Amino acid sequence: MARIVMKFGGTSVADLDRIHNVARHVKREVDAGHEVAVVVSAMSGKTNELVGWVQGMPKATGASSPFYDAREYDTIVASGEQVTSGLLAIALQSMGVNARSWQGWQIPIKTDNAHGAARILDIDGQDIVRRMGEGQVAVVAGFQGIGPDNRVATLGRGGSDTSAVAIAAAVKADRCDIYTDVDGVYTTDPRVEPKARRLKKIAFEEMLEMASLGAKVLQVRSVELAMVHKVRTFVRSSFVDPDAPGMGDLLNPPGTLICDEDEIVEQEVVTGIAYAKDEAQISLRRVADRPGVSAGIFGPLAEAHINVDMIVQNTSEDGSKTDMTFTVPSGDVEKSLKVLEAAKDKIGFDVIQHETGLVKVSVIGIGMRSHAGVAASAFRALAEKGINIKAITTSEIKISILIDGTYAELAVRTLHSVYGLDKK
């Protein structure tokens, strides 16, 4: 017998038939004698509809400002998960499974006060553990908790993944199964490279890089939590028949296991290739090279909640001037330019240049720590394909390369092949 937390995303619970299918997955684990908690997202498309209603209400009243209270935003958008949790509990009860729905505030999942993007501070899982021990399935509304102001707080888009991992840590689950519309984590996006392979295992650090660099299988914060609390996490497909061979295997179910690198006996040099579209590059030319200039540039951008990624600095030969180049999401370009122009006198640059339509392609693998020549292989392979590199950043386990967006798919396929990921 094991303690399992199962999480089902929006496409998995998109309608009543799919919720019934989810209930079959849950019943399979209950019938095997396991203690089970389930975390659910809103039905597919429902959160977008609720957000649209929130954003449209000020306009409908004729208000001159689109402003709305973030606390009321959370009240509205959290209702999607509440509906799903109740429907799944009814489905399970109809199939003879003892189940009860829970909202985040009932557990409680305590968060900070950042409505719309709250972070989990604490979870008291004692009541859920007690009820699981009595044979009851807890069906928990994901994406939500309760803030210090005693109001519902949501965790940001994709927050149900974080809810699931946090609950798994709180109840000391043996594993957390994330059910989605894909059957695991692949070496790269199969839509770009048909030869991409499903990974049997991937280390927490690698998955964190994959998630933050473009792979959309899991929310980044959920991977961070799993790594900190050592929560063994399986990525599985809810669209495989619940009674298919191996689906009830406790130790090695179909999917990808995200785990500590100690569990991975043979570590590949490169595990996967990730990419992120819609990147933009901003360059400040001839900036005074003096202490505090970097803070003068990136401080105002941070205050404006603009996420800066790749940073490259080139200092002039006499050391008096420097060029500062960095990337931001394309959607933040205009906002970034306004922030920097407002701070021009303080920063002291001559001109701003920017370029949109770029793509960041990343090579990821914990084996890179102990192998030389990984970067050189990437640069050589891209050069042979005529792909120009605009910027490069590296860490112990990744190399990120900025290129023109038109070469994105060619670069992904080239790098996937050069490291032999299509042959292993």
Side-chain angles (χ1 to χ4, degrees):
M1 186 182 75
R3 184 173 295 164
I4 301 172
V5 173
M6 308 170 72
K7 182 266 175 179
F8 294 89
T11 54
S12 301
V13 294
D15 53 39
L16 297 186
D17 286 339
R18 289 189 181 180
I19 291 174
H20 174 225
N21 185 61
V22 164
R24 291 177 59 210
H25 280 286
V26 176
K27 188 175 188 299
R28 179 192 67 232
E29 305 297 351
V30 172
D31 290 346
H34 303 314
E35 296 180 353
V36 179
V38 187
V39 176
V40 291
S41 298
M43 299 166 77
S44 182
K46 179 56 65 176
T47 300
N48 287 338
E49 181 183 34
L50 294 170
V51 171
W53 289 351
V54 173
Q55 294 173 340
M57 195 69 252
K59 183 178 180 180
T61 64
S64 58
S65 169
F67 172 79
Y68 51 81
D69 191 322
R71 293 167 296 186
E72 304 308 335
Y73 168 92
D74 278 353
T75 298
I76 296 162
V77 299
S79 65
E81 283 72 17
Q82 180 171 328
V83 171
T84 312
S85 62
L87 288 173
L88 180 56
I90 290 172
L92 289 167
Q93 292 164 4
S94 301
M95 297 165 67
V97 176
N98 181 8
R100 180 64 60 201
S101 66
W102 294 71
Q103 310 313 307
W105 61 267
Q106 292 176 302
I107 294 175
I109 299 173
K110 296 180 180 179
T111 74
D112 62 20
N113 217 18
H115 285 278
R119 299 188 75 87
I120 295 173
L121 301 178
D122 183 52
I123 297 179
D124 184 352
Q126 292 184 359
D127 203 9
I128 285 183
V129 169
R130 177 179 64 79
R131 289 177 181 242
M132 289 168 73
E134 295 170 355
Q136 186 177 93
V137 174
V139 184
V140 182
F143 175 62
Q144 62 183 257
I146 186 165
D149 56 0
N150 210 33
R151 295 187 62 93
V152 170
T154 63
L155 309 180
R157 300 306 290 265
S160 291
D161 287 347
T162 302
S163 299
V165 173
I167 289 170
V171 303
K172 295 181 170 54
D174 294 286
R175 73 170 199 242
C176 179
D177 290 353
I178 305 290
Y179 285 82
T180 180
D181 53 2
V182 296
D183 60 354
V185 180
Y186 280 72
T187 49
T188 195
D189 187 342
R191 294 170 298 181
V192 173
E193 174 49 271
K195 295 180 182 178
R197 296 177 300 104
R198 187 179 73 193
L199 296 164
K200 188 173 182 180
K201 292 182 180 181
I202 184 171
F204 289 125
E205 285 185 82
E206 292 173 320
M207 190 65 237
L208 187 58
E209 294 286 5
M210 293 278 279
S212 63
L213 293 169
K216 295 180 170 53
V217 178
L218 288 173
Q219 190 199 46
V220 174
R221 280 163 57 196
S222 69
V223 184
E224 290 174 345
L225 268 178
M227 184 165 65
V228 169
H229 296 285
K230 306 291 186 189
V231 177
R232 300 175 80 250
T233 304
F234 274 94
V235 177
R236 308 179 63 177
S237 172
S238 64
F239 297 112
V240 176
D241 188 282
D243 300 319
M247 287 298 286
D249 189 327
L250 176 62
L251 299 178
N252 296 294
T256 299
L257 172 63
I258 306 168
C259 58
D260 195 271
E261 65 179 275
D262 292 342
E263 286 195 52
I264 302 175
V265 179
E266 292 189 20
Q267 297 175 353
E268 304 289 351
V269 177
V270 171
T271 299
I273 312 296
Y275 69 98
K277 293 183 177 180
D278 296 323
E279 295 284 308
Q281 182 174 268
I282 296 176
S283 297
L284 301 181
R285 301 299 184 191
R286 294 178 292 282
V287 181
D289 191 12
R290 52 180 169 75
V293 70
S294 295
I297 295 170
F298 299 113
L301 292 171
E303 290 170 7
H305 305 291
I306 296 168
N307 184 36
V308 174
D309 188 15
M310 307 174 80
I311 301 173
V312 179
Q313 182 176 2
N314 296 312
T315 305
S316 62
E317 192 172 326
D318 64 3
S320 64
K321 298 287 184 179
T322 184
D323 289 343
M324 190 75 76
T325 300
F326 54 91
T327 61
V328 298
S330 289
D332 285 338
V333 169
E334 294 303 321
K335 186 178 179 182
S336 301
L337 295 177
K338 288 180 181 178
V339 169
L340 293 168
E341 286 288 358
K344 182 174 182 178
D345 291 342
K346 184 177 180 180
I347 299 169
F349 58 85
D350 282 357
V351 65
I352 299 182
Q353 297 172 337
H354 70 279
E355 184 178 3
T356 57
L358 305 179
V359 168
K360 177 176 60 180
V361 181
S362 301
V363 178
I364 300 156
I366 52 178
M368 291 166 59
R369 289 176 179 149
S370 54
H371 287 77
V374 178
S377 297
F379 303 152
R380 188 182 308 113
L382 295 177
E384 289 172 356
K385 297 293 183 180
I387 300 173
N388 185 47
I389 297 172
K390 294 179 174 293
I392 303 163
T393 59
T394 63
S395 74
E396 275 191 313
I397 67 168
K398 82 159 190 301
I399 304 161
S400 290
I401 301 163
L402 191 69
I403 61 173
D404 283 322
T406 52
Y407 294 104
E409 294 190 6
L410 176 59
V412 169
R413 289 194 295 268
T414 298
L415 295 174
H416 193 265
S417 175
V418 80
Y419 296 113
L421 295 175
D422 51 352
K423 300 174 182 176
K424 295 173 184 176

